[in-house]
Amino acid sequence: MKKIEAIIKPFKMDDVREALAEVGIAGMTVTEVKGFGRQKGHTELYRGAEYQVDFLPKVKLEIVVADDVEDRAIEAIMNTAQTGKIGDGKIFVYDVDRVIRIRTGEENEEAV
């Protein structure tokens, strides 16, 4: 099994969720996060004063999938979240050794 973490632009979240549902992803965890990469933030004007925004709002999406679904899930995220502009985000993939559903005790693929 794999854990896929994707950091994407917030306005792309609904489209990515729908694309993942189409490839059979039923559940996910979504967190509002802030960060920066090559964008390095930007300057904004508020009530006549300029200020630096160092951390930009992003969304972190986390899913755990069976190995045979990994490539389709990554492709769905990439095709949907990509705008072609800086700040589109990143995808991280980790190996998952074990998953346990607390309510039933089911493990691994049955627990996902």
Side-chain angles (χ1 to χ4, degrees), residues 40-82:
K40 305 228 180 7
H42 62 279
T43 303
E44 286 191 4
L45 196 62
Y46 179 72
R47 294 189 177 186
E50 255 188 28
Y51 67 99
Q52 182 69 24
V53 177
D54 292 324
F55 295 100
L56 301 172
K58 301 287 182 180
V59 173
K60 179 165 82 169
L61 166 72
E62 298 173 86
I63 58 175
V64 176
V65 298
D67 290 333
D68 61 330
V69 181
E70 174 189 358
D71 291 335
R72 286 183 286 153
I74 290 169
E75 187 176 322
I77 295 168
M78 285 186 60
N79 291 341
T80 310
Q82 188 177 54

Side-chain angles (χ1 to χ4, degrees), residues 66-110:
D67 290 333
D68 61 330
V69 181
E70 174 189 358
D71 291 335
R72 286 183 286 153
I74 290 169
E75 187 176 322
I77 295 168
M78 285 186 60
N79 291 341
T80 310
Q82 188 177 54
T83 66
K85 297 182 178 141
I86 194 166
D88 276 351
K90 297 232 179 356
I91 298 173
F92 304 94
V93 181
Y94 307 93
D95 287 321
V96 174
D97 294 329
R98 189 174 178 195
V99 177
I100 302 164
R101 178 174 284 139
I102 295 172
R103 178 177 55 88
T104 62
E106 293 172 298
E107 293 197 27
N108 300 325
E109 276 86 5
E110 293 81 33

